[in-house]
Structures are given as C-alpha cells and as structure tokens.
Amino acid sequence: MFSPGRPSIAWRQDRVRFWEAIAAGAKTREAAVAAGVSEPVAHRWFKHAGGVNPRLAPTTSGRYLSSAEREDIALWRAQQVGVRDIAKRLGRSPSTISRELRRNASTRTYRLEYKASTAQWHAERRAKRPKTAKMVTHHQLRQYVQDKLSGEILTADGEIVGPVGPVWGGKNKPHRGDREWVTGWSPQQIAQRLRLDFPEDESMRISHEAIYQALYVEGRGGLERKQSWHLRRGRAKRTPRARTRQQAWAHVTEETVLNKRPAEVEDRKIAGHWEGDLIIGLKRSAVATLIERTTRYAMLVHLPRQTGYGMIRPTKNGPALAGYGALTMKDALARSITPLPEQLRRSLTWDRGKELSAHALLTRETGLPVYFADAKSPWQRGSNEHLNGLLRQYFPKGTDLSRWNADEIAAIATALNNRPRGILGWRTPAEAFADQLRSVQQQTVATIG
C-alpha cells in the first residue's frame, strides 16, 4: 500500500493566509508570520508552488467538516459524548459524525483513536483530485514546447556554438556567464505559434500560462524544471507581482532625494560637492569611488573583506562580510572624507544602493549631507559614471577586486588625478584640487587674522 506520508503541520486556512500575504507583497519570512507557521515551512510552500499562487478558496464548502469542527469532535469524543449529541451540537447529521469517526480515525494504533490533526490530514489527502496536465498525455505537444523552449544555436554550417551550461541543481538561475545559448522562444510565442503551425489540429493548443506553470510548479508535470533556465529571465520560481512593484529604497528619505540638494551643486562653481558609487567585481568584491564635481578630483576607497568571509556561512540579516555593508561603508567613507576641510565636504550624491543606508550616521559623524539620485538615472551622477568607466581600464569587469590592497588602489587614484583634463583647460584634477585647498587655507588664515 502506498504511504500517504506524514500529516501536514498546517491546514487550508494557514495556506490561504500565507498566499494572501505573498499576494500583498510580503516576503516569505513575513508571510510565515502572518500564516502562523515556521519560516522553513513557508519557504517549502513557496518553492513547491514555484511562486505560483494556488488560489485556494478561503473556506471549505459547508457540506464538508472544517478543521475547527473536527477539533470539537475530538474534544467531545474524549469526554465520552455520544454521536447523536455531537451531531446535535454541530448541527450535523448523526451519520456524518459516525462516518467521520470511522473513516478519519487513526489507523496506526491498536484502537481507533480520533485526533483532529490526523482526521484533517486524512480528509485533505482524500479530497485531492489532481488533474493530469495536458502535456503529460500529449507527447507531440510536449515535444514541440520543449524544442521551442530550448534548441541549440547553430552556425550556417550546422555547428553548435555557445558555452556549456551548468549542471541543474534545482535552484534559481545560475551565474549569467554560465548560461548556455539557446533559441529560447517565450511561452507566449510558443502558444501563439501553435495556431499557425497546426491550424487544423485543435489538440495542439495550450496557453502560455499552462507552460509557465508546467515549468514552475512541482508535480504539474510535462516539462523539466531546468527548462526554466531557457526563459529570458532564467528564473526557476515566479516572482509575485506585488513584489516586483516594491521599491527597495526605504533608506531614501524625503530629505535625501535629489531635488532637496542645494541648487549651487548644478553649476559646479563651488567646490566640495561629491558624487559616489561602487564598482563591483567577482566574489562580491568592491571599491568605492568618489569624485569632486568642480575639480574632478577622484578618491578610491579600499573595501577589504571582513574577517570570516568565505569561512562563516552567510546568514540572512547577518554581518556583511563582503566589505561593503552599511556600517562598514559608513566607516570607510568617513575615514576618507574627514581629513578634508569642512568647506570641501558640502554634499555627497550617491546611487540608490543599500550600501549607504547608514547615511544618517555618516552625516552625523562628518557633517556631510547625503543625497540620492533618482532611480535608473545615472546621468545625475555623470562625473562618477565617467570615472567608473575610466577605472575599468584598471579593474576590468569579471575580475576579483579584493586582490588589490589600499596602497595599490591609492596609486591608481593618483594616476587618474594626474591625467590632464580638457574640461579643466588641460590641467590635472590634482592641480585644480590643490588650488581649492590653498584657497580654503587662505580664507581660514584671513578669518583668524
């Protein structure tokens, strides 16, 4: 006899609350709290469903006993209450109660003991009526969809080209550099093309949503899940729509948006306004870049890995060991900015990355107000973007930046600052910045005198 497995640890109402929270945009961890289940269980639900909401009805039909009614039956049964009295209290037929006690009682003990959890498990297992997916039984349709989802890239001579893809591990999309080359039609293209390729065969029809669910939902059947790597985004799980609308910029407050930045920054006539960002390398390595808007003077901030990186297993909300966590970033910028005169640290404009989410502490420690550029607007930090492009001459994409120490990075900054720039009348940024330092010193002496 096939074993039905162990009883579920949560019921329909719990799963309904979980998916309602997911649909509202909650993370899986937050949805677990809303459903009243543990985080591993919530992650398992999300993974097995492939991120696809099963759209369970909030309650079962009144025709069937609910889990709350089964808890009452178990309690009254333990108190030796008769079947007819239980039926009367629940407003049910005595035969319904009698059948419930006979069908859904525990069958793994010597005596038939009625437990609400076991009974609910039996009822839900028996109520399952999984519908066989169309592609499971229709071989020609399944083969057509698989061919269009994958398919090698061929040269004019019929030679297969492109890298060999990684081994499927059941996880989400691999590193972008490892993806194999395929023709990769989208499910919508496949669904619509079937009508043209098989105009007379009505059995060769399937919706694009059915294809997505065959890829994402475990047990839906028909397609191998690793085919999801051949989708344009390469996701192995669906991202809930509400999550895609969320903005991960909670650290950007109303006071730090770009339109609150002083107007004097725009004309570049007053020195002391900086732009900054990160350049990212392999294995979560990074270097912070700063450039002064008037003189184009650049500073590179070394961000070494923290102790334990590569040895301590990463944990959610744990310490950022890669070197550019919020507090680590704040301390590194403070060490670079603080030696400057106050007149040369008037503002800092940064990208919207979370690495500067501790900007309030940075402002409090250094007196440097921080402003964030608008989303997807790199031209608002044009000088910094140009600097990052120049730095790729020294730090090409795809290299590990952690192998360079602070002295080597400082040497690169010196080299950049001693290049003549046309915008400065072919003076170097180092010369222009030195003039600003002398001007500040003369103003300070004049004020004291």
Side-chain angles (χ1 to χ4, degrees):
M1 176 181 174
F2 175 75
S3 174
R6 64 179 178 85
S8 173
I9 55 97
W11 312 123
R12 173 187 293 269
Q13 293 86 344
D14 303 319
R15 293 194 293 271
V16 168
R17 289 195 297 269
F18 170 77
W19 286 107
E20 285 178 347
I22 291 293
K27 299 295 184 182
T28 307
R29 179 178 63 256
E30 300 164 351
V33 176
V37 299
S38 65
E39 185 175 342
V41 169
H43 281 288
R44 194 180 309 128
W45 283 350
F46 192 86
K47 177 185 176 182
H48 288 176
V52 179
N53 190 339
R55 301 188 181 279
L56 298 169
T59 58
T60 57
S61 170
R63 175 185 174 187
Y64 304 102
L65 290 173
S66 65
S67 59
E69 288 177 313
R70 289 190 169 95
E71 290 175 356
D72 291 336
I73 292 174
L75 176 62
W76 292 329
R77 191 62 175 170
Q79 296 173 354
Q80 304 299 319
V81 178
V83 171
R84 292 187 177 275
D85 287 342
I86 294 176
K88 186 176 182 180
R89 295 180 184 184
L90 292 178
R92 295 282 187 174
S93 168
S95 62
T96 300
I97 306 303
S98 177
R99 189 163 48 245
E100 171 69 18
L101 293 171
R102 185 174 65 254
R103 284 181 175 178
N104 295 334
S106 172
T107 58
R108 299 191 180 186
T109 58
Y110 178 73
R111 300 177 57 186
L112 292 180
E113 297 178 354
Y114 186 86
K115 297 179 180 179
S117 58
T118 305
Q120 183 70 23
W121 168 60
H122 278 303
E124 290 193 359
R125 175 177 56 84
R126 195 177 289 114
K128 289 182 178 179
R129 299 291 187 272
K131 182 180 178 181
T132 304
K134 184 176 182 179
M135 281 189 292
V136 173
T137 58
H138 201 306
H139 174 75
Q140 184 182 6
L141 177 62
R142 180 174 69 253
Q143 191 62 44
Y144 181 92
V145 173
Q146 286 181 343
D147 291 344
K148 298 307 181 184
L149 277 175
S150 54
E152 295 89 357
I153 298 293
L154 305 176
T155 64
D157 298 330
E159 179 184 356
I160 300 176
V161 293
V164 178
V167 177
W168 169 257
K171 298 181 180 179
N172 213 352
K173 56 185 177 181
H175 189 274
R176 60 184 178 182
D178 295 327
R179 294 188 68 176
E180 60 182 347
W181 291 359
V182 294
T183 53
W185 287 18
S186 71
Q188 186 178 24
Q189 291 170 333
I190 296 171
Q192 297 299 324
R193 185 67 188 185
L194 279 166
R195 300 177 182 274
L196 299 179
D197 291 347
F198 304 93
E200 305 298 331
D201 190 353
E202 291 295 328
S203 66
M204 293 292 288
R205 301 286 185 272
I206 192 169
S207 68
H208 63 275
E209 177 63 22
I211 299 176
Y212 276 118
Q213 292 196 14
L215 291 170
Y216 291 144
V217 181
E218 287 187 7
R220 186 57 59 92
L223 298 176
E224 296 179 358
R225 290 195 69 202
K226 68 178 182 181
Q227 295 276 17
S228 61
W229 276 3
H230 298 153
L231 297 176
R232 189 166 296 129
R233 303 299 179 190
R235 296 190 181 98
K237 292 183 291 187
R238 173 170 285 176
T239 302
R241 184 176 300 173
R243 287 187 186 177
T244 63
R245 294 171 178 168
Q246 290 180 339
Q247 297 179 349
W249 305 315
H251 60 287
V252 181
T253 61
E254 186 65 28
E255 295 77 21
T256 59
V257 294
L258 194 70
N259 58 14
K260 295 298 180 66
R261 191 175 65 174
E264 66 183 34
V265 182
E266 294 295 332
D267 55 20
R268 298 176 183 262
K269 293 182 178 180
I270 299 178
H273 298 287
W274 298 79
E275 296 176 2
D277 195 11
L278 292 180
I279 56 173
I280 306 294
L282 284 184
K283 301 178 182 178
R284 299 182 64 81
S285 57
V287 172
T289 63
L290 296 171
I291 187 168
E292 202 279 315
R293 285 175 58 88
T294 301
T295 63
R296 273 65 171 188
Y297 183 80
M299 290 195 297
L300 303 184
V301 183
H302 183 225
L303 299 173
R305 299 244 173 83
Q306 301 299 298
T307 303
Y309 179 84
M311 295 179 289
I312 300 176
R313 185 177 180 179
T315 57
K316 191 169 291 186
N317 298 324
L321 302 178
Y324 53 96
L327 295 179
T328 306
M329 192 74 197
K330 182 265 298 181
D331 294 337
L333 289 178
R335 287 193 298 269
S336 301
I337 291 292
T338 303
L340 296 175
E342 184 177 353
Q343 295 89 334
L344 291 181
R345 39 188 168 95
R346 301 177 185 271
S347 74
L348 172 62
T349 303
W350 200 267
D351 192 14
R352 294 212 164 192
K354 286 188 176 181
E355 66 274 0
L356 208 60
S357 55
H359 59 87
L361 295 176
L362 177 65
T363 302
R364 190 181 309 160
E365 293 179 11
T366 64
L368 178 71
V370 178
Y371 302 95
F372 292 96
D374 296 333
K376 302 178 181 179
S377 304
W379 59 86
Q380 295 176 346
R381 304 170 11 269
S383 297
N384 185 249
E385 290 291 321
H386 181 258
L387 170 65
N388 292 348
L390 294 176
L391 286 172
R392 287 303 181 185
Q393 178 179 350
Y394 305 94
F395 308 127
K397 290 185 178 181
T399 57
D400 188 352
L401 305 183
S402 64
R403 58 179 171 167
W404 309 116
N405 59 37
D407 293 336
E408 292 168 328
I409 290 176
I412 293 175
T414 301
L416 287 176
N417 288 327
N418 284 282
R419 286 186 182 183
R421 300 286 297 274
I423 194 70
L424 301 175
W426 302 111
R427 302 171 68 215
T428 66
E431 294 169 342
F433 195 74
D435 290 345
Q436 293 293 335
L437 285 175
R438 283 192 294 268
S439 176
V440 169
Q441 292 171 355
Q442 292 173 359
Q443 293 177 6
T444 303
V445 172
T447 302
I448 296 176

